[in-house]
Amino acid sequence: MEFRVQLSEPLPDPVQLAAMLEAEDPAAVGELDGAARVWRVNTALASRDLVALLGRAGSPVAASSVVVLPSVCCG
């Protein structure tokens, strides 16, 4: 699934966040946009898992900050 997460302060360390995401889902891809405070993620994890992961990364967010994006798959 593809997610868009609106982050709050403090922003997570991008290297640490990438490592934590990879540890949870090796096939996941994430992109942190610090200027917009947005984390875009493609992962098999659930939104609650992303909330927990960000909390462990020192950047807690509310569940309402995680938006599931519609699928762009044509299959």
Side-chain angles (χ1 to χ4, degrees):
M1 298 193 98
E2 187 173 351
F3 297 91
R4 183 180 186 277
V5 184
Q6 187 65 52
L7 301 171
S8 56
E9 298 292 333
L11 293 177
D13 174 84
V15 174
Q16 177 190 17
L17 186 60
M20 292 174 74
L21 179 61
E22 183 179 348
E24 295 284 327
D25 178 3
V29 177
E31 176 187 29
L32 183 63
D33 181 345
R37 295 188 341 231
V38 170
W39 186 35
R40 292 185 249 335
V41 188
N42 287 308
T43 183
L45 297 175
S47 59
R48 69 181 176 277
D49 299 323
L50 296 177
V51 169
L53 188 137
L54 284 164
R56 291 191 309 275
S59 184
V61 296
S64 61
S65 297
V66 180
V67 176
V68 180
L69 299 177
S71 175
V72 293
C73 178
C74 54

